[in-house]
Amino acid sequence: MDTKIESIKELIREEFFGESTGHDWYHIERVYKNALKIQEKEGGNRDIIAYAALLHDIADHKFVENHEAETERRIKEILGGASVSSDIIAEVLHIAQNISYKGANVENKIRSLEGMIVQDADRLDAIGAIGVARAFAYGGSKKRAIYLPEEKPTLHEDFESYKNDEGHTINHFYEKLLLLKDRMNTQTGKEIAQQRHDFMQGFLVQFYAEWEAK
Ligand code: ADP
Ligand code: NI
């Protein structure tokens, strides 16, 4: 076991444990495990992937005002404190600053293989059974309705409008979750995503049937 990675894992576990909007420690742990699993097939530097998975939500734009600067400050503080090299810190920073989904029609700026892998792992955790659970947990934390049939989804052209959208949670499936399968970066990610995607579609079929009292 790499002791630097283990100590950062411990630090992040303490900071994120019990968070209740779907960004809790277990989300981070799942992203970490899935990213390392994808790496076994796709290659890439395991240290960068491990650090980036553990630190990718350290200053999420949904909870922190100045996402870019705060991400940089925290990552330099944590990795610098563990004497990680500046080259690796720069790679991890690129990933943490660009990993987020920013709207259906907004360009993805992730460039490195390691970044593509961690982004795939993060996105896998937004779909499937866990994705469904996290979407409603997040929607509930923002006091949003489960479903308002009269409000249709929007395919956002820019991050501001995506971020400020306060629609019901079923819309989030059409604005993000169902789009992720075709936006996976790696072949391994695509294969895992397909099965989780099919599950979500089945969930929606059942949801609408129950809604209509069928
Ligand atoms: P990303 O990892 O791409 O940055 P987010 O951090 O935006 O994703 O989202 C984290 C979790 O919260 C995901 O499971 C996501 O689907 C959910 N979520 C984000 N925005 C919404 C929303 N408007 N309604 C419901 N769930 C949301
Ligand atoms: Ni995440």
Side-chain angles (χ1 to χ4, degrees), residues 12 36 41 46 48-49 68 100 130-131 133 155 172 203 207 209:
I12 297 298
L36 289 174
K41 298 249 175 71
R46 282 180 78 81
I48 295 173
I49 290 171
E68 293 244 330
S100 242
I130 285 177
L155 293 180
H172 188 63
F203 166 81
F207 183 94

Side-chain angles (χ1 to χ4, degrees), residues 174-191:
Y174 300 95
E175 292 168 355
K176 174 181 175 188
L177 308 186
L178 293 169
L179 307 177
L180 292 179
K181 165 183 79 74
D182 292 328
R183 292 167 187 231
M184 300 302 285
N185 301 299
T186 67
Q187 189 52 38
T188 311
K190 282 192 181 97
E191 286 162 16

Side-chain angles (χ1 to χ4, degrees), residues 11 20 34 43 61 70 75-76 85 112 127 145 159 167 170 181 183-185 187 202 204:
L11 194 140
S20 63
N34 269 324
H61 63 76
E70 204 40 28
I75 285 184
K76 286 188 170 163
S85 79
S112 62
I127 60 177
F159 184 39
I170 287 290
K181 165 183 79 74
R183 292 167 187 231
M184 300 302 285
N185 301 299
Q187 189 52 38
L204 288 169

Side-chain angles (χ1 to χ4, degrees), residues 23 27 31 56-57 122 134:
H23 284 82
H27 161 64
V31 172
H56 81 275
D57 274 338
D122 194 29
R134 290 181 74 216

Side-chain angles (χ1 to χ4, degrees), residues 21-23 27 31 56-57 60-63 99-102 119 122-123 125-127 130-140 142 144 159 162-163 165-173 175-177 180:
T21 65
H23 284 82
H27 161 64
V31 172
H56 81 275
D57 274 338
D60 192 281
H61 63 76
K62 291 189 289 323
F63 308 101
I99 191 167
S100 242
Y101 181 85
K102 294 196 162 70
Q119 187 175 60
D122 194 29
R123 291 181 168 179
D125 211 51
I127 60 177
I130 285 177
V132 172
R134 290 181 74 216
F136 290 105
Y138 181 85
K142 296 279 180 184
R144 292 182 189 159
F159 184 39
Y162 172 71
K163 199 165 69 170
D165 194 313
E166 295 191 338
H168 61 89
T169 300
I170 287 290
N171 264 353
H172 188 63
F173 284 74
E175 292 168 355
K176 174 181 175 188
L177 308 186
L180 292 179

